[in-house]
Coordinates of all heavy atoms in Angstrom, one line a residue:
E104 N -4.3 -12.8 11.6 CA -4.7 -11.5 11.0 C -6.0 -11.6 10.2 O -6.6 -10.6 9.8 CB -3.5 -11.1 10.1 CG -2.3 -10.7 10.9 CD -1.2 -10.1 10.0 OE1 -1.4 -10.2 8.7 OE2 -0.2 -9.7 10.5
D105 N -6.4 -12.9 9.9 CA -7.6 -13.0 9.1 C -8.9 -13.1 9.9 O -10.0 -13.1 9.3 CB -7.5 -14.3 8.3 CG -6.5 -14.3 7.2 OD1 -6.3 -13.2 6.6 OD2 -5.8 -15.3 7.0
I106 N -8.8 -13.0 11.2 CA -10.0 -13.1 12.1 C -11.0 -12.0 11.7 O -10.6 -10.8 11.5 CB -9.6 -13.0 13.5 CG1 -8.8 -14.2 14.0 CG2 -10.8 -12.8 14.4 CD1 -8.3 -14.1 15.4
G107 N -12.2 -12.4 11.4 CA -13.2 -11.4 11.0 C -13.4 -11.4 9.5 O -14.5 -10.8 9.1
R108 N -12.5 -11.9 8.7 CA -12.6 -11.8 7.3 C -13.4 -13.0 6.8 O -13.5 -14.0 7.4 CB -11.2 -11.9 6.6 CG -10.3 -10.8 6.8 CD -9.0 -11.0 6.1 NE -9.2 -11.0 4.6 CZ -8.2 -11.4 3.8 NH1 -7.1 -11.9 4.2 NH2 -8.5 -11.4 2.5
P109 N -14.1 -12.8 5.6 CA -14.8 -14.0 5.0 C -13.7 -15.1 4.8 O -12.7 -14.8 4.3 CB -15.3 -13.4 3.7 CG -15.5 -12.0 4.0 CD -14.3 -11.6 4.9
K110 N -14.1 -16.3 5.1 CA -13.2 -17.4 4.9 C -12.8 -17.6 3.5 O -11.6 -18.0 3.2 CB -13.8 -18.7 5.5 CG -13.8 -18.8 7.0 CD -14.3 -20.2 7.4 CE -14.3 -20.3 9.0 NZ -14.9 -21.6 9.4
V111 N -13.7 -17.4 2.5 CA -13.3 -17.6 1.1 C -12.3 -16.6 0.7 O -11.4 -16.9 -0.2 CB -14.6 -17.5 0.2 CG1 -15.5 -18.7 0.5 CG2 -15.3 -16.2 0.4
E112 N -12.3 -15.4 1.2 CA -11.3 -14.4 0.8 C -10.0 -14.7 1.4 O -8.9 -14.7 0.7 CB -11.8 -13.0 1.3 CG -13.0 -12.4 0.6 CD -13.3 -11.0 1.1 OE1 -12.5 -10.4 1.8 OE2 -14.3 -10.5 0.7
S113 N -9.9 -15.1 2.6 CA -8.7 -15.5 3.3 C -8.1 -16.8 2.6 O -6.9 -16.8 2.3 CB -8.9 -15.9 4.7 OG -7.8 -16.5 5.3
A114 N -8.9 -17.7 2.3 CA -8.5 -19.0 1.6 C -7.9 -18.6 0.2 O -6.9 -19.1 -0.2 CB -9.6 -20.0 1.5
A115 N -8.7 -17.8 -0.6 CA -8.2 -17.5 -1.9 C -6.9 -16.8 -1.9 O -6.0 -17.0 -2.7 CB -9.3 -16.6 -2.6
E116 N -6.7 -15.9 -0.9 CA -5.4 -15.2 -0.8 C -4.3 -16.1 -0.6 O -3.2 -16.0 -1.2 CB -5.5 -14.1 0.3 CG -4.3 -13.2 0.4 CD -4.6 -12.2 1.5 OE1 -5.3 -11.2 1.2 OE2 -4.0 -12.3 2.6
T117 N -4.5 -17.1 0.3 CA -3.4 -18.0 0.6 C -3.1 -18.9 -0.6 O -1.9 -19.2 -0.9 CB -3.8 -18.9 1.8 OG1 -4.1 -18.0 3.0 CG2 -2.7 -19.9 2.2
M118 N -4.1 -19.4 -1.3 CA -4.0 -20.2 -2.4 C -3.2 -19.5 -3.5 O -2.3 -20.1 -4.2 CB -5.3 -20.7 -2.9 CG -6.0 -21.7 -1.9 SD -7.8 -21.7 -2.1 CE -7.9 -22.6 -3.7
K119 N -3.6 -18.3 -3.8 CA -2.9 -17.5 -4.9 C -1.5 -17.2 -4.5 O -0.6 -17.1 -5.4 CB -3.7 -16.2 -5.1 CG -5.0 -16.4 -5.8 CD -4.9 -17.0 -7.2 CE -4.4 -16.0 -8.2 NZ -4.4 -16.5 -9.6
A120 N -1.2 -17.0 -3.2 CA 0.2 -16.7 -2.8 C 1.0 -18.0 -2.9 O 2.2 -17.9 -3.3 CB 0.2 -16.3 -1.3
L121 N 0.4 -19.1 -2.7 CA 1.1 -20.4 -2.9 C 1.3 -20.7 -4.3 O 2.4 -21.2 -4.7 CB 0.3 -21.5 -2.2 CG 0.8 -23.0 -2.3 CD1 2.1 -23.1 -1.6 CD2 -0.2 -23.9 -1.7
N122 N 0.3 -20.5 -5.2 CA 0.5 -20.8 -6.6 C -0.3 -19.8 -7.4 O -1.5 -19.9 -7.6 CB 0.0 -22.2 -6.9 CG 0.3 -22.6 -8.3 OD1 0.7 -21.8 -9.2 ND2 0.1 -23.9 -8.6
P123 N 0.3 -18.7 -8.0 CA -0.4 -17.7 -8.7 C -0.9 -18.3 -10.1 O -1.7 -17.5 -10.7 CB 0.7 -16.7 -9.0 CG 2.0 -17.4 -8.8 CD 1.8 -18.4 -7.8
N124 N -0.6 -19.5 -10.5 CA -1.0 -20.0 -11.7 C -2.5 -20.5 -11.7 O -3.2 -20.6 -12.7 CB -0.2 -21.2 -12.1 CG 1.2 -20.9 -12.4 OD1 1.5 -19.8 -13.0 ND2 2.2 -21.7 -12.0
V125 N -3.0 -20.7 -10.4 CA -4.4 -21.2 -10.3 C -5.4 -20.1 -10.4 O -5.1 -19.0 -9.9 CB -4.6 -22.1 -9.1 CG1 -3.6 -23.2 -9.0 CG2 -4.4 -21.2 -7.8
N126 N -6.6 -20.4 -10.9 CA -7.7 -19.5 -10.9 C -8.6 -19.9 -9.7 O -9.1 -21.0 -9.7 CB -8.4 -19.6 -12.2 CG -9.7 -18.8 -12.3 OD1 -9.8 -17.7 -11.7 ND2 -10.7 -19.3 -12.9
V127 N -8.8 -19.0 -8.8 CA -9.6 -19.3 -7.6 C -10.9 -18.5 -7.7 O -10.9 -17.3 -7.9 CB -8.9 -18.9 -6.3 CG1 -9.8 -19.2 -5.1 CG2 -7.6 -19.6 -6.2
K128 N -12.0 -19.2 -7.7 CA -13.4 -18.6 -7.7 C -14.0 -18.8 -6.3 O -14.0 -19.9 -5.7 CB -14.2 -19.3 -8.8 CG -13.7 -19.2 -10.2 CD -14.6 -19.8 -11.2 CE -15.9 -19.0 -11.4 NZ -16.7 -19.5 -12.5
T129 N -14.5 -17.7 -5.8 CA -15.1 -17.7 -4.4 C -16.6 -17.6 -4.4 O -17.2 -16.8 -5.3 CB -14.5 -16.6 -3.6 OG1 -14.8 -15.3 -4.1 CG2 -13.0 -16.8 -3.4

């Protein structure tokens, strides 16, 4: 479903879903 999306946005979404405690900067 992420095809065509910026990789940093897709990665940040997955990381925050895994652990909402982390601060992700893209």
Side-chain angles (χ1 to χ4, degrees):
E104 292 182 353
D105 293 320
I106 291 173
R108 293 181 66 193
K110 287 185 178 179
V111 293
E112 290 184 9
S113 171
E116 185 176 282
T117 303
M118 294 159 70
K119 291 294 288 184
L121 178 62
N122 189 349
N124 296 322
V125 302
N126 174 34
V127 182
K128 301 182 69 173
T129 60

